[in-house]
Amino acid sequence: MTNLAPLLEAFFTERLVTQRQASPNTIASYRDTICLVLRFVAHHTGKEPSQLVLEDLDAPCIGTFLDHLEAVRGNVVGTRNTRLAAVHSLFRFAAVRHPEHANLIQRVLDIPQKRFDRSLVSFLARDEVAALLDTPDRGSSIGRRDRALLLVAVHTGLRVSELVGLCCQDVVLGTGAHVHCVGKGRKERTTPITKGTAKVLATWLDERAGEPGDPLFPGRQGHHLSRDAVELIVRRHARSASDRCPSLQTKQVTPHVLRHTAAMGLLHAGVDIATIALWLGHESIETTQIYLHADMTIKERALERTAPAGAPLRRYRPSDPLIAFLEAL
């Protein structure tokens, strides 16, 4: 047996599960990264993944893998950095288990995160949301499932991992209707839903006829949808909706864009930034500040309140004594 296989087994079972008690989402993210690395290295070395040794995963190899993510797989820099963080976590664990490879391990750990420009968040306008929600075929069970899923995504702002993890018991209808989820950092939260969303979910739950622990939005085999499946669902319906709403043709619509749309809807409704942070499950209110930067309406209102340079300041005077009396009440 090679030195890599037992290292990976110990990394996932001892470090992530036992010592760190990592969430299922974190474990799944690290698993996906390591699988990508092993397949990439196996392809370039001609070895089977089970035959690889730690020496095969040296710094030049990992660097080439990171370039492959961007150039071939089309991943953005943020995804590249997330994959590198998982690799770094594995190699920090390897430093304890295999000190004889300290030089190789340190060279991998020295690979830096790549800096990138932070663009404004993308979100959908009301007419674009309406076009997207009208696209699923309500005459089919899959279409009704997709519409309920899109509606929950747009109105709650759940992360895609939270969305696919919902079970039937996580929907609470009646007074104070809401959905319950376990989000990032294993934090539980409840998110209220509108009457319209609650009505659609009630109809879907009757049709779904599942047990409390069954997936709310199942795939064809009855299991939870994967993140990739939700990505495809959103992309497919956005592409269809662009025929009726041409502005969607210029936007890359993803589940995270629907999350941004929910946040911007709250912001436009006058909800304060602290409440939006709680709604989205942000660890820090600083994370939520990105929506203030993206909202032109707030900046335009601020501009309207700003007097031009050199303009005389005047005290407000009502134009009519009756109006003055009423405003003084």
Side-chain angles (χ1 to χ4, degrees):
M1 181 181 292
T2 70
N3 59 0
L4 184 59
L7 173 67
L8 290 175
E9 181 178 353
F11 174 68
F12 281 97
T13 58
E14 294 179 21
R15 173 57 62 89
L16 295 185
V17 175
T18 303
Q19 297 175 1
R20 291 186 56 188
Q21 292 187 331
S23 69
N25 289 331
T26 298
I27 294 174
S29 177
Y30 280 31
R31 175 205 64 204
D32 294 344
T33 296
I34 300 304
C35 285
L36 285 173
V37 172
L38 293 180
R39 293 192 183 102
F40 176 82
V41 178
H43 175 74
H44 282 76
T45 60
K47 299 180 180 180
E48 294 295 326
S50 58
Q51 297 174 338
L52 295 174
V53 294
L54 187 59
E55 293 90 322
D56 291 323
L57 276 64
D58 57 10
C61 176
I62 297 300
T64 305
F65 166 72
L66 296 173
D67 293 338
H68 167 80
L69 291 179
E70 294 185 74
V72 179
R73 292 181 61 88
N75 293 155
V76 297
V77 175
T79 301
R80 178 255 192 207
N81 288 343
T82 299
R83 300 299 189 196
L84 178 58
V87 172
H88 278 171
S89 181
L90 170 63
F91 274 75
R92 282 193 293 270
F93 180 71
V96 178
R97 298 290 291 252
H98 294 283
E100 69 275 14
H101 294 298
N103 288 335
L104 179 149
I105 292 170
Q106 188 57 51
R107 291 190 183 97
V108 173
L109 293 176
D110 286 340
I111 298 175
Q113 295 276 324
K114 182 179 286 189
R115 301 184 67 178
F116 58 97
D117 295 331
R118 297 184 180 273
S119 58
L120 294 176
V121 297
S122 176
F123 61 96
L124 304 185
R126 287 189 177 183
D127 59 330
E128 295 170 337
V129 171
L132 180 65
L133 295 178
D134 286 341
T135 299
D137 179 16
R138 303 187 195 184
S140 69
S141 178
I142 295 297
R144 290 189 290 272
R145 180 206 66 185
D146 290 356
R147 182 171 185 271
L149 185 151
L150 293 173
L151 197 61
V152 171
V154 167
H155 288 172
T156 64
L158 294 182
R159 299 179 178 91
V160 64
S161 59
E162 298 164 348
L163 197 62
V164 300
L166 290 177
C167 297
C168 295
Q169 63 188 5
D170 292 326
V171 178
V172 179
L173 303 174
T175 305
H178 64 272
V179 294
H180 169 270
C181 74
V182 178
K184 194 174 181 180
R186 293 176 146 187
K187 297 189 295 292
E188 292 188 36
R189 78 178 189 277
T190 56
T191 305
I193 54 179
T194 62
K195 292 182 179 179
T197 303
K199 184 177 179 180
V200 171
L201 283 177
T203 303
W204 170 245
L205 284 171
D206 289 341
E207 179 180 350
R208 170 77 178 85
E211 297 296 324
D214 289 343
L216 177 61
F217 303 118
R220 294 185 183 275
Q221 303 301 321
H223 305 301
H224 286 279
L225 289 170
S226 67
R227 302 183 200 187
D228 289 342
V230 176
E231 291 268 3
L232 290 173
I233 289 170
V234 173
R235 193 181 308 137
R236 183 177 71 251
H237 291 303
R239 188 163 51 247
S240 299
S242 64
D243 295 335
R244 288 176 292 171
C245 187
S247 60
L248 284 172
Q249 297 175 3
T250 62
K251 295 185 177 181
Q252 184 178 2
V253 184
T254 66
H256 214 68
V257 168
L258 302 186
R259 176 172 165 83
H260 292 327
T261 301
M264 295 303 292
L266 293 171
L267 191 63
H268 289 158
V271 179
D272 64 274
I273 201 72
T275 302
I276 296 175
L278 291 173
W279 187 292
L280 298 178
H282 284 165
E283 183 72 24
S284 169
I285 194 173
E286 296 298 324
T287 307
T288 321
Q289 299 287 347
I290 59 173
Y291 300 111
L292 290 176
H293 293 292
D295 187 19
M296 281 297 298
T297 59
I298 291 180
K299 298 173 184 177
E300 288 170 352
R301 287 199 297 268
L303 183 63
E304 291 173 357
R305 298 191 184 107
T306 304
L313 296 178
R314 299 184 177 89
R315 181 179 295 276
Y316 169 74
R317 297 181 183 278
S319 58
D320 187 90
L322 178 58
I323 296 298
F325 166 75
L326 293 174
E327 289 183 343
L329 292 178

